[in-house]
Amino acid sequence: MHAYVITAKPGVWQQIAAAGWAWTVRLAAFTVMALIGAVTFTVRCTRPVVIYLAEVVMRIEFWAAERTGLPPLGAVVGAQLTGEFMNEFRKGWDRPVTETT
């Protein structure tokens, strides 16, 4: 019989170290998932507030544009940004999918 066929059972300290490492990885994964969940929850809860504040700022800007006679610059910039996003989105759908190996 060859010596390398016989395997030794891991010692107590090796078992404790392996269990400790496994629980450390589990705790780290749980912490990351909890943080991502907390950020997602916060963003979703603050979304209506951000939308409301954007509408208030837009109304103030239109009121100021009406009083001063100047064009509302936020609306112009916003429309151009939206147009650019739409163009990029359409380009992304029109591009052929190429595989890189």
Side-chain angles (χ1 to χ4, degrees):
M1 179 182 284
H2 297 288
Y4 62 84
V5 175
I6 300 171
T7 57
K9 183 179 175 183
V12 174
W13 292 111
Q14 286 179 327
Q15 289 177 352
I16 291 172
W21 178 255
W23 279 104
T24 302
V25 170
R26 289 177 184 155
L27 182 62
F30 177 76
T31 303
V32 168
M33 288 187 295
L35 288 173
I36 290 172
V39 168
T40 303
F41 182 73
T42 304
V43 167
R44 287 185 180 234
C45 287
T46 57
R47 194 168 161 191
V49 175
V50 170
I51 291 172
Y52 174 74
L53 290 175
E55 288 177 359
V56 168
V57 170
M58 181 184 66
R59 286 187 186 125
I60 291 171
E61 182 184 18
F62 283 138
W63 174 82
E66 184 180 0
R67 296 285 183 216
T68 61
L70 299 172
L73 298 177
V76 173
V77 172
Q80 289 176 352
L81 282 175
T82 302
E84 285 298 319
F85 281 125
M86 292 297 292
N87 289 338
E88 287 297 319
F89 182 76
R90 288 188 184 117
K91 284 181 191 175
W93 278 105
D94 292 340
R95 285 190 197 131
V97 177
T98 58
E99 293 184 17
T100 57
T101 56

